[in-house]
Amino acid sequence: MARAKRTTAFPVGLYGMLLFALAWLTLPRLFAPLERVLVGAACSVPRCTATWFGEPAVAADRSDLRRIEELGERLLRRVGEHDLTGAGDAMPLGDQPLMCRVLSVDRRGGGGLPSELRLDRSYAELYGCRELVTKGGALLGYLLRPGIGRAVDDLPGDPARVMLCHHRDAPRCYAMAVDPDGGPPLRIVVRPAASVDPAPLSVDMWDDPFRASRLHAAGYEVRTLPLAFGARRVPGGLLLGRTRIWGYEPDGVDEPLTIGVYVVPPVLPQALSHVVVWRPSGVEAPSAAASHGAHSRSAARLYDLPGVGHGRHLLVAERAVPDDAAVIQDGLFLGTARGLSFGTGLVTAFVATRQPWSLLLLPDGDDAEPIELYGRVEQGDGDRAWLRLVDGPDGRPTRLVSGYLFTGSNGRHCPAGLWIGRAQPDQFERDLLEVKVPALSGASVAEVFVEEAAR
């Protein structure tokens, strides 16, 4: 009997699926549109089920809405009062300050901190403004020009870019270090530090090197001295930060040894929510300029999903839902959405997020200054979240007090000033903030921030 020949078929389908899965994992942006469609289609089942079994209801008490609005107005008023005070004394008389919201931070700079900002106003909208960007009485950096330098690829309609003082391309500043004990000030030159340095700014060219080598205590206040640097003119009196000493501590036998002196900016870049740009007197604002801070709200409905105990909800909106869009209910910030197809999105409640947040804390008291924070939720339990905050750029813990917690600037579709909840410092850990947020359960009416052009 003749034996039949045995053939082995190559599993084309199996290897094709493995190759497709590998490409999906390694190139997530390429397959993101397909993923949105598939997940959006899968969400149509609970969407239809939720529509059949009841209408959404408002979870928050309407009587509290006015109170929430008043708190938001008070926060933005205090932010404006703080950010606009101080630098005006150093700027030319008649300059008009313009508050700008920070959309994003990027590009690693001195001390390993981000060194570029993107603003909610376009270059065209800030046409004619000075290069100096301030906050309160501090100099933060320089406004770039489209088509020049770092912004060579930017267009006038793009969000304006700010180069912070610790950016590697930022110019050196002529400054003065003021002795807190009343000694004579030291004239110095401050430059961007390396990314591996212990602080964002470094000090060079002391006018008294011997005295500088004897500095063993930090805390000298560093302010700019007036200087014309080509076309860039820096006024005097603007705060750059405070000194930080790098060296060896005394060991009981040898004296302390100072190796280098650095300058720490007053605000952590990731915590910045607003900055100030100055328009000279006599320069008119452009009549038609594109703004990247415009947004509108779209009516939406929230439904529970399996795993709702972990802060997951289905969002059904009247318009397309962008990624990282803020979802609010009667002025209360609930969380952010991940946009899918067919007007749906997946919402993660604030207590369930693990992403870093830019936040604003409004302390109790009529004249207290708002505190800019940066941190992430370390633990969530029901209507409570525990925020682990990042220390300031000088390594010191952030000053924490009881008050009301709001969102800072967390992207174009999550603006600053959205009320999160009541916050108080943890009684055991210095960098932990306990936040009580409104609980959400069952179907409810909400709003989501969408593109302004969608109106």
Side-chain angles (χ1 to χ4, degrees):
M1 178 182 293
R3 177 178 293 183
K5 291 186 178 180
R6 188 176 180 183
T7 59
T8 303
F10 183 77
V12 178
L14 174 62
Y15 281 96
M17 289 295 295
L18 292 176
L19 182 61
F20 180 78
L22 178 62
W24 190 306
L25 294 174
T26 56
L27 302 172
R29 291 187 179 181
L30 180 63
F31 292 90
L34 177 59
E35 181 182 2
R36 291 175 186 270
V37 173
L38 294 177
V39 178
C43 289
S44 61
V45 177
R47 176 179 178 176
C48 295
T49 304
T51 304
W52 293 336
F53 289 94
E55 288 295 322
V58 177
D61 186 354
R62 286 286 181 178
S63 62
D64 295 334
L65 180 58
R66 182 56 189 165
R67 172 63 174 167
I68 295 172
E69 293 177 351
E70 291 176 353
L71 287 173
E73 293 171 358
R74 186 192 307 175
L75 170 74
L76 296 181
R77 183 174 63 253
R78 290 194 196 174
V79 168
E81 292 173 353
H82 169 65
D83 289 356
L84 299 176
T85 302
D89 298 334
M91 304 301 291
L93 185 64
D95 277 16
Q96 176 189 0
L98 301 176
M99 289 282 295
C100 299
R101 184 166 62 91
V102 177
L103 294 182
S104 63
V105 293
D106 196 8
R107 195 172 297 276
R108 190 180 183 191
L113 296 180
S115 62
E116 282 188 3
L117 307 178
R118 284 285 191 173
L119 306 183
D120 65 335
R121 299 176 187 253
S122 64
Y123 290 108
E125 194 174 0
L126 299 178
Y127 177 79
C129 291
R130 299 188 186 278
E131 289 184 293
L132 300 182
V133 178
T134 64
K135 185 178 186 65
L139 173 63
L140 295 181
Y142 307 92
L143 179 66
L144 298 182
R145 308 296 184 192
I148 302 175
R150 277 285 175 186
V152 65
D153 296 326
D154 292 350
L155 301 175
D158 293 338
R161 191 197 305 256
V162 174
M163 177 175 61
L164 299 180
C165 290
H166 60 276
H167 192 285
R168 67 179 186 180
D169 294 337
R172 301 186 178 192
C173 290
Y174 185 38
M176 174 177 61
V178 181
D179 191 344
D181 297 328
L186 288 166
R187 295 178 181 270
I188 58 177
V189 173
V190 179
R191 64 170 177 82
S195 60
V196 295
D197 282 339
L201 297 168
S202 179
V203 175
D204 283 340
M205 300 177 66
W206 298 84
D207 66 341
D208 190 347
F210 177 75
R211 184 182 168 200
S213 66
R214 307 289 294 179
L215 290 179
H216 304 316
Y220 279 49
E221 192 177 75
V222 179
R223 292 188 175 272
T224 61
L225 289 172
L227 176 68
F229 184 81
R232 181 180 289 117
R233 297 182 178 273
V234 179
L238 296 177
L239 179 66
L240 288 175
R242 294 184 178 275
T243 57
R244 182 180 183 185
I245 307 301
W246 187 256
Y248 293 96
E249 297 287 344
D251 58 2
V253 178
D254 297 326
E255 295 184 356
L257 176 63
T258 298
I259 297 177
V261 180
Y262 296 89
V263 177
V264 178
V267 184
L268 196 69
Q270 301 96 311
L272 287 171
S273 61
H274 298 82
V275 298
V276 180
V277 177
W278 296 84
R279 174 171 284 132
S281 59
V283 177
E284 297 184 1
S287 56
S291 176
H292 292 267
H295 48 70
S296 61
R297 302 180 184 183
S298 174
R301 298 179 179 184
L302 279 173
Y303 301 101
D304 292 346
L305 285 175
V308 66
H310 300 286
R312 304 290 188 264
H313 304 274
L314 172 64
L315 177 75
V316 180
E318 297 178 353
R319 304 173 189 168
V321 179
D323 284 339
D324 301 323
V327 180
I328 61 174
Q329 183 182 57
D330 286 341
L332 304 175
F333 176 73
L334 302 179
T336 54
R338 180 193 175 199
L340 302 175
S341 58
F342 313 117
T344 59
L346 298 178
V347 177
T348 302
F350 177 78
V351 295
T353 61
R354 295 300 181 263
Q355 69 188 59
W357 288 96
S358 168
L359 302 165
L360 285 167
L361 178 63
L362 179 64
D364 295 332
D366 295 334
D367 300 324
E369 175 185 317
I371 303 174
E372 292 179 309
L373 306 173
Y374 181 72
R376 70 179 67 225
V377 177
E378 186 174 82
Q379 180 183 352
D381 183 12
D383 61 347
R384 294 185 182 274
W386 283 266
L387 277 166
R388 179 74 63 182
L389 301 174
V390 176
D391 291 341
D394 57 354
R396 298 179 181 178
T398 304
R399 176 175 60 93
L400 295 180
V401 294
S402 298
Y404 298 96
L405 190 67
F406 296 80
T407 58
S409 292
N410 295 280
R412 179 176 180 180
H413 303 289
C414 188
L418 303 179
W419 192 75
I420 298 175
R422 178 73 183 175
Q424 62 181 8
D426 187 81
Q427 58 180 335
F428 300 110
E429 300 189 49
R430 62 175 176 81
D431 59 347
L432 207 60
L433 192 68
E434 181 182 350
V435 186
K436 188 177 186 305
V437 301
L440 177 67
S441 179
S444 57
V445 176
E447 291 179 305
V448 60
F449 285 79
V450 297
E451 297 282 355
E452 177 69 15
R455 269 186 190 179

